[in-house]
Amino acid sequence: MPFKVAAFYQFAALPDFRALREPLRTFCAGLDLKGSVLLAHEGINGTIAGTDQGIDDFVAELRHGALFGGRLDNLELKFSEAAQMPFRRLKVRLKKEIVTLGDETADPSRQVGTYVDATEWNALIAAPDIMVLDTRNAFEVAMGTFEGAVDPRIASFGQFKEFAARNLDPAKHRRIAMFCTGGIRCEKASAHLLARGFTEVYHLKGGILKYLEEVPEAESRWRGECFVFDERVALGHGLRESAGALSSDAERESAPCEAAVHE
């Protein structure tokens, strides 16, 4: 039986995030869901898998249920399938940030870059005056990326601000287009660059996953596979499961996914 997989996030004020942990865990367990969810004062981030009905009930609770009281009404959400359950257990964790950058000035709820839909991404990154920047970790980039994209060669997203300080200049890099797996890292990264004085920053709405879902393979500028932090390992065009090289258990555990929790 195939499983439905939901990758989701939203930056939203959740000052009660600690109190939300156990009720959310209990709700997910009651639906027999597995996967990873992060809660922080700034919002929610996760990927879970289960039956079609279980995932639909979970999403309805996030968006409209009493638990979050309508605060997750702008959820960034993507669905895919897995031939087998891609997670071993259910984890609901409390974090300082739902994606770790370590820059208090980077607040996506206050300012964020310009969203670019997947269908408009090819035209943007083809412009001669734009820098295309992959904000993911080096081992993710090694599995696949967009043509001509800059690899920051970072081991974790928390190193992005050091990369930016060393290599990016607002006077020189006037137009930057960023992308990541599901969109969340780019929201933080774009907020960081805007706070540093960059003025024209774009990011791929819904991330690589949305691009692979919506853009026909014949028109695609993506090369390779998209790493996801679950036991499917990688996805291709149409969000099909890939036969890519297996990741280590350490890689899976270190960051549940951008399709789960993006670090």
Side-chain angles (χ1 to χ4, degrees):
M1 179 188 75
F3 291 88
K4 188 172 185 177
V5 183
F8 57 93
Y9 75 87
Q10 184 177 334
F11 287 96
L14 299 178
D16 55 341
F17 72 98
R18 291 181 178 85
L20 291 168
R21 181 184 188 181
E22 287 309 318
L24 182 61
R25 188 204 305 274
T26 299
F27 184 78
C28 291
L31 296 173
D32 200 23
L33 304 179
K34 294 182 181 179
S36 294
V37 181
L38 298 186
L39 291 169
H41 68 92
E42 67 179 4
I44 190 170
N45 176 22
T47 297
I48 57 167
T51 64
D52 285 357
Q53 188 62 57
I55 293 297
D56 290 348
D57 289 349
F58 173 79
V59 171
E61 177 63 31
L62 292 190
R63 284 177 164 167
H64 310 298
L67 190 58
F68 290 92
R71 290 175 291 177
L72 300 182
D73 58 349
N74 192 32
L75 204 65
E76 180 65 43
L77 181 67
K78 288 169 288 297
F79 297 112
S80 57
E81 288 190 353
Q84 299 179 355
M85 170 55 73
F87 297 102
R88 300 172 186 175
R89 55 190 176 275
L90 172 67
K91 294 179 285 187
V92 181
R93 296 176 173 173
L94 303 180
K95 299 278 281 185
K96 185 176 180 180
E97 301 177 73
I98 56 173
V99 59
T100 303
L101 182 60
D103 175 13
E104 294 183 357
T105 67
D107 181 1
S109 66
R110 186 175 61 86
Q111 63 175 357
V112 73
T114 302
Y115 296 102
V116 180
D117 288 338
T119 54
E120 300 173 348
W121 182 249
N122 284 356
L124 175 68
I125 66 175
D129 62 340
I130 199 153
M131 178 186 189
V132 183
L133 179 60
D134 195 329
T135 66
R136 299 172 303 149
N137 304 339
F139 71 87
E140 298 172 79
V141 179
M143 291 192 69
T145 192
F146 284 104
E147 293 177 356
V150 173
D151 176 6
R153 301 184 183 277
I154 56 178
S156 68
F157 182 62
Q159 297 175 356
F160 178 81
K161 60 183 183 297
E162 284 78 21
F163 163 81
R166 291 193 308 268
N167 298 282
L168 302 181
D169 181 350
K172 179 180 179 182
H173 304 105
R174 297 183 179 276
R175 303 181 76 213
I176 297 176
M178 299 185 296
F179 63 92
C180 52
T181 310
I184 188 171
R185 282 179 276 193
C186 288
E187 295 219 26
K188 268 287 181 79
S190 69
H192 173 71
L193 293 187
L194 291 171
R196 286 191 54 218
F198 292 81
T199 58
E200 200 167 344
V201 182
Y202 302 89
H203 47 99
L204 177 58
K205 183 171 176 57
I208 300 162
L209 296 180
K210 181 60 70 175
Y211 183 91
L212 294 178
E213 179 183 8
E214 294 191 353
V215 176
E217 189 168 359
E219 301 173 13
S220 176
R221 297 192 61 169
W222 175 261
R223 298 294 179 264
E225 299 166 334
C226 180
F227 183 91
V228 291
F229 288 85
D230 61 53
E231 295 192 9
R232 294 173 298 173
V233 181
L235 300 177
H237 284 87
L239 300 185
R240 296 186 298 270
E241 291 186 58
S242 168
L246 291 176
S247 65
S248 69
D249 287 345
E251 285 173 340
R252 290 194 186 115
E253 291 299 321
S254 66
C257 168
E258 187 166 348
V261 177
H262 339 252
E263 297 286 5

